[in-house]
C-alpha cells in the first residue's frame, strides 16, 4: 500500500512545478514512509510515496514500460500478481521487478482500459499513456483504496488523500454543506461527495479517462444479484459450504502474500476469528493477533478475543480504551479521515493500528465485509419482521408507528422522504436513516437549511443499478450496505485511512472479488436463516473453530458516544467547539438548540429512540465542528489545525 498524487494539464502541456508535487506527496508521507519518487513531463506529473511490502528492493515507482511510453503510480495490491506475472511473461513482456505495480503498464499495453478486468485486489491507480496523451485514474471494485480529485487553474489534481490536493496550494479547504447533510442522514461520508467543496471521490468500480480538456467517468464494474427466485439453492447445502470455505481459503492465501510479516485483527467474533483460523491453517503456524478492550466505553469482547487467540495459539496484543482515551484520539482520527465521524469505535481502531506499527508490522488482515456479504447486521433482521408485518396488516399501520416515533424526536418538524426513497424500494436501512434525520430540523441553523436549499441527500447515493427492483428485498438492502456504509464508513473511518495513518496496510478476505460474487449469487436463506445471521459462514466456522465460537452471536463493536463527548470527563475542546461563538462562526448549527439538546440528553432515559438519535446527532455536531476547525482555518478551540508540510527548497 502506498500513497499517490499528481496533476494533469487540462489546457495544454504546461509543466507542473516539482516543489508543488513534492508538497502533495509530503502531505501523505504516512502512507509511504519507505520511499518517495516523482515523474514530471510536459502536461502531467505523477508522484508516489511507498510502503514497501512486495519486492522491497525493486518496486520503486512511478515506473514505466520498456520504452517509457506508459507510466504508472499505484496504491494497493494486486493479490493475483504471481498469476498475472506468469501470463505477462508468456506474452513476451519484459519485467524488471517482482512488484505488482509493474503489471499495470503491461496490462494496459495488452488490454487498454479493459485492464481493470484482470486487475483484482484493492487499488487506486494513476496511469499515463504518452502516445495518446491519456490519463487513467481508477479504483478497485469495492472501494477499499481511496482516490480523490479536484480541478484548479486548468489542472486536474488527484491524491490518495484530500490532504495531498490541499497541499498543492491550489485548492482551498471549504465546506460542502451537502456532504455534512449526508453525514446527518446516513451517518457516514459520501461515496463520491466529500466534505470539501470541489473535491470528489472516484466511485468504487469506476475510473476517469482524461484526454485534452475532457474528463469522462467510466463504470467498469457494479455489484449485481440474481432476480428474486433465481438465486442458487440446493437440497443439500453442503457443496455451498465447501465452495465458501474454498473461496475464503484462497482469499486468505492471497492476502498472506507479502515480503514482510503479516498479522491479524481479532474481535472475538465470528468473522475475524474465521480469518485468523484460516491463517493458522494455511501458514501451519499461528500469526500474531491484535484486539481492543473497552473499559466502560462499550461492549467489551476481550474475553472472547483471548479465548479465540488461545484456541488458535496466536500471541495476542490488547489495546485498552476508555471514554477519555476515545475522546483524546478524536482530533487525530478526524485529521486522518478528513471528515466528521460519528462512530466513536473508529478511535479505538486508530490506536490498534498504532500498536501494530509500534511492533514493526506493516500488514494486517481483518474480518470486515462479512456482514455486507452475508447479512450480519441487526437491521436485516428487523427488515424481515417489518416486511412480514406488511404482508399481514399492510403498510399503513407500520407507517403510522414510524411517524409517531419520528414526532417524538422532532415534533411538528417531522419530515420523511418517499416510502421507497432508493430506486422505489424500502431497504432495511431506510427506517434508521429516517429516524436519525429527525435531528436535522432541530439542530441545523436557519442559514444551514437555506444553504441546503431543499437538497435531497438520497439523490447523492451511489446506487445506480437499475436492476435493483428485481432482487430479493434482503439483497436490495445488502447492495445499499456495500454502496453506502461499507464505502463511506468502514473503508474510510475504520479501514484504509485509519490503518494507513500509521503506515499499516489492512487487507480484507471477505471483500475478495470471488467471495463477493459467490455470496451475491446464493439464496437469501443461506445468509439470514430465521434469526441466525451469516448462516452459511457459521457452517464453515464449525469446521475450523470450536462450536461455541462458531455459534457466538454477533456483537456490534462500538464505543459510547454521548458518554464520550457529553460526560463529565470530556476534553476541554468539546465545550470550546460547542460554544455559541464557535457554533455561530461555522454557521451549521443553531447554538440555542445545541445547548438545549445537550442539557436534555444527559437527563434523558436510556434505551429510547430520542436518546439514540440525539446521541448520534450531537456526536455529529461535535465532530463536524472539529473537522471544520482542523481543515478550514482553525480558531474554534485550542487544538492545532492541520497545515501542509513545508517542503525544503533545496
Amino acid at each position: 500500500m502506498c500513497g499517490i498524487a499528481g496533476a494533469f494539464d487540462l489546457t495544454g502541456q504546461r509543466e507542473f512545478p516539482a516543489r508543488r508535487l513534492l508538497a502533495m506527496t509530503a502531505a501523505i508521507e504516512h502512507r509511504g514512509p519507505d520511499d518517495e519518487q516523482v515523474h514530471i513531463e510536459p502536461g502531467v506529473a505523477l508522484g508516489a510515496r511507498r510502503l514497501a511490502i512486495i519486492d522491497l528492493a525493486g518496486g520503486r515507482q512511478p515506473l514505466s514500460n520498456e520504452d517509457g511510453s506508459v507510466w504508472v503510480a499505484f496504491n494497493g495490491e494486486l493479490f493475483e500478481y504471481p498469476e498475472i506475472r506468469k501470463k505477462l511473461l508468456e506474452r513476451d513482456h519484459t519485467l524488471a521487478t517482482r512488484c505488482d505495480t509493474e503489471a499495470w503498464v503491461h496490462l494496459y499495453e495488452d488490454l487498454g482500459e479493459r485492464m481493470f478486468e484482470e486487475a483484482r485486489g484493492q487499488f487506486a491507480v494513476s496511469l499515463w499513456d504518452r502516445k495518446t496523451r491519456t490519463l487513467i485514474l481508477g479504483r478497485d471494485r469495492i472501494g477499499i483504496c481511496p482516490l480523490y480529485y479536484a480541478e484548479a487553474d486548468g489542472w486536474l489534481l488527484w491524491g490518495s488523500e484530500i490532504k495531498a490536493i490541499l497541499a498543492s496550494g491550489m485548492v482551498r479547504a471549504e465546506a460542502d454543506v451537502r456532504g455534512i447533510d449526508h453525514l446527518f442522514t446516513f451517518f457516514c461520508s459520501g461515496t463520491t461527495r466529500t466534505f470539501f467543496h470541489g473535491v470528489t471521490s472516484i466511485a468504487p468500480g469506476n475510473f476517469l479517462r482524461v484526454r485534452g480538456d475532457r474528463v469522462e467517468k467510466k463504470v467498469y464494474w457494479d455489484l449485481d444479484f440474481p432476480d428474486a427466485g433465481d438465486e442458487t439453492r440446493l437440497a443439500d447445502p453442503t457443496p455451498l459450504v465447501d465452495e465458501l470455505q474454498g473461496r475464503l481459503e484462497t482469499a486468505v492465501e492471497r492476502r498472506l502474500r507479502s515480503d514482510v510479516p503479516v498479522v491479524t485483527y481479532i474481535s472475538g467474533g465470528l468473522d475475524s476469528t474465521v480469518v485468523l483460523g484460516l491463517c493458522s491453517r494455511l501458514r501451519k503456524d499461528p500469526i500474531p493477533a491484535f484486539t481492543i478492550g473497552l473499559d466502560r466505553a462499550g461492549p467489551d469482547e476481550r474475553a472472547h478475543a483471548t479465548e479465540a487467540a488461545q484456541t488458535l495459539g496466536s500471541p495476542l496484543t490488547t489495546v485498552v480504551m476508555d471514554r477519555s482515551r476515545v475522546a483524546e484520539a478524536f482530533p487525530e482520527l478526524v485529521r486522518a479521515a478528513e471528515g466528521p465521524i460519528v462512530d466513536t469505535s473508529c478511535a479505538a481502531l486508530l490506536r490498534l493500528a498504532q500498536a501494530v506499527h509500534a511492533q514493526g508490522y506493516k500488514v494486517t488482515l481483518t474480518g470486515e465485509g462479512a456482514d455486507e456479504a452475508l447479512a450480519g447486521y441487526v437491521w436485516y433482521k428487523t427488515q424481515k419482521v417489518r416486511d412480514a408485518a406488511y404482508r399481514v396488516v399492510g403498510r399503513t399501520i407500520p407507517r403510522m408507528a414510524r411517524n409517531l416515533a419520528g414526532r417524538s424526536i422532532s415534533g411538528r418538524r417531522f419530515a420523511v422522504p418517499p416510502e421507497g426513497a432508493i430506486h422505489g424500494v424500502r431497504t432495511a436501512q431506510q427506517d434508521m436513516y429516517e429516524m436519525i434525520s429527525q435531528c436535522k430540523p432541530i439542530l441545523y441553523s436557519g442559514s444551514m437549511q437555506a444553504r441546503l436549499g431543499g437538497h435531497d441527500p438520497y439523490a447523492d447515493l451511489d446506487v445506480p443499478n437499475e436492476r435493483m427492483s428485481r432482487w430479493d428485498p434482503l439483497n436490495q438492502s445488502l447492495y445499499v450496505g456495500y454502496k453506502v456504509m461499507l464505502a463511506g464508513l468502514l473503508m474510510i473511518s475504520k479501514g484504509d485511512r485509519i490503518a494507513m495513518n500509521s503506515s499499516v496496510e489492512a487487507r480484507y478476505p471477505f471483500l475478495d472479488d470471488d467471495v463477493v460474487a459467490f455470496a451475491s449469487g446464493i439464496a437469501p436463506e443461506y445468509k439470514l436463516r430465521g434469526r441466525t445471521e451469516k448462516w452459511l459462514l457459521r457452517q464453515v466456522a464449525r469446521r475450523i473453530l470450536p462450536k461455541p465460537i462458531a455459534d457466538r452471536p454477533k456483537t456490534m463493536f462500538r464505543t459510547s458516544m454521548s458518554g464520550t463527548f457529553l460526560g463529565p470527563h470530556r476534553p476541554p475542546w468539546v465545550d470550546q467547539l460547542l460554544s455559541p461563538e464557535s457554533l455561530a462562526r461555522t454557521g451549521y448549527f443553531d447554538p440555542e438548540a445545541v445547548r438545549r439538546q445537550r442539557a436534555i440528553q444527559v437527563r434523558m432515559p436510556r434505551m429510547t429512540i430520542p436518546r439514540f438519535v440525539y446521541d448520534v446527532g450531537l456526536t455529529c455536531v461535535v465532530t463536524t465542528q472539529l473537522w471544520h476547525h482542523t481543515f478550514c482555518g482553525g480558531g474554534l478551540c485550542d487544538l492545532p489545525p492541520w497545515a501542509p508540510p513545508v517542503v525544503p527548497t533545496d
Side-chain angles (χ1 to χ4, degrees):
M1 194 77 81
C2 304
I4 61 174
F8 177 86
D9 187 5
L10 297 168
T11 68
Q13 296 188 33
R14 293 174 293 173
E15 187 163 300
F16 196 71
R19 189 168 183 271
R20 184 162 280 173
L21 181 59
L22 289 170
M24 296 173 71
T25 57
I28 53 174
E29 179 183 4
H30 51 277
R31 299 188 67 91
D34 297 331
D35 194 17
E36 178 182 40
Q37 293 290 314
V38 299
H39 171 75
I40 300 175
E41 62 179 82
V44 70
L46 305 176
R49 297 288 320 204
R50 187 176 182 222
L51 182 66
I53 292 173
I54 301 292
D55 191 3
L56 307 187
R60 304 188 80 183
Q61 55 167 310
L63 55 75
S64 71
N65 60 348
E66 296 90 335
D67 64 5
S69 62
V70 181
W71 283 84
V72 66
F74 163 61
N75 165 37
E77 303 288 349
L78 296 179
F79 294 116
E80 297 177 44
Y81 176 60
E83 293 82 1
I84 294 174
R85 191 174 195 276
K86 182 179 178 182
K87 292 179 182 178
L88 291 173
L89 290 172
E90 290 172 350
R91 298 200 291 255
D92 296 326
H93 286 282
T94 299
L95 301 177
T97 75
R98 292 189 300 104
C99 186
D100 52 350
T101 301
E102 190 177 9
W104 286 99
V105 294
H106 299 297
L107 287 174
Y108 181 77
E109 287 177 312
D110 289 350
L111 302 171
E113 293 171 4
R114 291 190 299 110
M115 65 184 175
F116 291 108
E117 296 173 10
E118 285 197 34
R120 312 287 289 275
Q122 55 189 65
F123 58 81
V125 62
S126 56
L127 184 141
W128 168 241
D129 179 348
R130 180 184 292 162
K131 292 179 179 177
T132 63
R133 303 203 62 79
T134 300
L135 173 72
I136 302 292
L137 301 175
R139 257 183 109 188
D140 63 69
R141 291 164 173 79
I142 300 299
I144 299 171
C145 294
L147 189 57
Y148 301 93
Y149 66 97
E151 292 186 27
D153 190 29
W155 291 93
L156 180 75
L157 308 172
W158 69 87
S160 292
E161 297 184 10
I162 298 171
K163 286 186 278 291
I165 295 174
L166 299 179
S168 72
M170 302 169 69
V171 175
R172 182 181 174 186
E174 296 180 354
D176 183 343
V177 293
R178 291 173 294 181
I180 295 172
D181 194 50
H182 192 285
L183 175 77
F184 275 79
T185 309
F186 308 115
F187 57 92
C188 64
S189 303
T191 306
T192 55
R193 185 181 297 283
T194 73
F195 297 103
F196 294 84
H197 177 72
V199 180
T200 303
S201 174
I202 296 177
N206 280 235
F207 68 91
L208 301 184
R209 179 208 293 145
V210 189
R211 186 179 297 158
D213 61 354
R214 294 187 61 190
V215 180
E216 299 177 88
K217 299 178 183 179
K218 299 289 184 179
V219 179
Y220 71 87
W221 181 87
D222 191 17
L223 182 62
D224 201 3
F225 293 89
D227 291 354
D230 290 346
E231 306 93 348
T232 301
R233 287 180 175 84
L234 300 178
D236 176 8
T238 301
L240 297 178
V241 180
D242 295 338
E243 185 169 357
L244 178 57
Q245 180 177 350
R247 294 198 182 206
L248 282 173
E249 287 176 345
T250 300
V252 170
E253 185 275 327
R254 288 171 179 161
R255 283 154 184 79
L256 288 172
R257 295 173 176 177
S258 171
D259 291 342
V260 298
V262 178
V263 300
T264 67
Y265 289 166
I266 183 172
S267 67
L270 178 68
D271 312 334
S272 58
T273 309
V274 166
V275 171
L276 180 58
L278 290 173
C279 287
S280 299
R281 275 192 167 201
L282 292 165
R283 281 285 177 92
K284 311 297 184 185
D285 188 32
I287 67 174
F290 290 74
T291 194
I292 295 166
L294 297 177
D295 279 352
R296 299 183 179 181
D300 187 9
E301 296 186 89
R302 262 179 291 187
H304 290 163
T306 300
E307 177 190 4
Q310 289 176 345
T311 298
L312 296 168
S314 291
L316 181 67
T317 297
T318 302
V319 175
V320 179
M321 301 288 289
D322 58 20
R323 290 174 180 173
S324 294
R325 290 174 180 150
V326 168
E328 288 168 2
F330 244 77
E332 183 178 358
L333 175 65
V334 168
R335 187 167 61 251
E338 299 174 332
I341 295 173
V342 65
D343 189 342
T344 49
S345 65
C346 299
L349 288 166
L350 181 87
R351 297 296 189 228
L352 193 66
Q354 289 172 345
V356 170
H357 176 78
Q359 293 192 25
Y361 297 111
K362 293 182 177 181
V363 180
T364 184
L365 272 60
T366 90
E368 211 71 77
D371 292 315
E372 284 70 27
L374 296 161
Y377 294 119
V378 65
W379 42 84
Y380 300 128
K381 298 179 184 180
T382 59
Q383 177 189 25
K384 200 171 184 179
V385 174
R386 183 197 72 192
D387 291 351
Y390 285 165
R391 290 191 291 270
V392 175
V393 302
R395 293 178 177 262
T396 301
I397 294 176
R399 187 183 299 119
M400 291 174 60
R402 289 198 304 272
N403 290 351
L404 287 172
R407 291 184 189 281
S408 72
I409 301 165
S410 58
R412 289 178 296 175
R413 305 187 206 184
F414 176 66
V416 296
E419 174 75 8
I422 305 174
H423 277 298
V425 301
R426 188 175 187 88
T427 64
Q429 298 91 336
Q430 189 172 334
D431 294 338
M432 181 170 48
Y433 294 158
E434 288 178 359
M435 290 301 104
I436 291 171
S437 295
Q438 297 314 308
C439 68
K440 295 195 293 186
I442 303 297
L443 296 176
Y444 282 3
S445 67
S447 62
M448 176 70 164
Q449 296 184 48
R451 291 172 70 184
L452 286 169
H455 170 69
D456 176 14
Y458 284 85
D460 278 346
L461 294 184
D462 180 36
V463 285
N465 201 316
E466 296 297 334
R467 284 178 29 80
M468 188 175 176
S469 62
R470 297 162 58 178
W471 302 335
D472 182 272
L474 177 62
N475 287 335
Q476 293 170 345
S477 297
L478 293 177
Y479 182 73
V480 170
Y482 274 101
K483 290 291 182 175
V484 181
M485 193 169 86
L486 183 73
L489 171 63
L490 303 181
M491 292 296 101
I492 296 177
S493 306
K494 280 189 171 181
D496 170 273
R497 309 300 287 285
I498 303 312
M500 289 301 290
N501 182 65
S502 294
S503 307
V504 172
E505 175 179 285
R507 298 177 173 182
Y508 310 90
F510 285 104
L511 296 179
D512 180 87
D513 297 318
D514 292 336
V515 173
V516 171
F518 169 77
S520 67
I522 60 176
E525 59 266 27
Y526 298 133
K527 305 170 188 179
L528 180 60
R529 176 167 291 195
R531 292 186 297 175
T532 302
E533 75 281 355
K534 295 180 284 196
W535 181 84
L536 197 67
L537 179 61
R538 293 185 185 278
Q539 312 317 304
V540 173
R542 288 182 176 185
R543 296 177 174 183
I544 60 177
L545 300 172
K547 188 175 182 297
I549 297 178
D551 292 343
R552 185 173 291 152
K554 178 178 177 59
T555 300
M556 289 284 283
F557 172 57
R558 56 182 175 81
T559 66
S560 61
M561 289 182 281
S562 62
T564 299
F565 296 119
L566 302 182
H569 302 296
R570 63 187 180 273
W573 51 261
V574 171
D575 291 332
Q576 294 168 358
L577 291 171
L578 298 184
S579 70
E581 296 77 16
S582 290
L583 291 168
R585 185 166 178 175
T586 61
Y588 308 133
F589 310 109
D590 182 332
E592 176 57 25
V594 171
R595 183 203 63 77
R596 185 172 57 250
Q597 290 303 326
R598 286 184 71 184
I600 293 172
Q601 190 72 359
V602 296
R603 302 194 307 266
M604 191 177 293
R606 295 185 179 183
M607 306 304 292
T608 62
I609 293 176
R611 172 66 182 257
F612 170 75
V613 168
Y614 282 105
D615 207 27
V616 173
L618 289 172
T619 299
C620 286
V621 171
V622 172
T623 60
T624 299
Q625 290 286 104
L626 178 57
W627 166 80
H628 183 104
H629 169 82
T630 302
F631 288 102
C632 298
L636 304 183
C637 67
D638 293 336
L639 295 169
W642 177 83
V646 177
V647 178
T649 55
D650 294 336

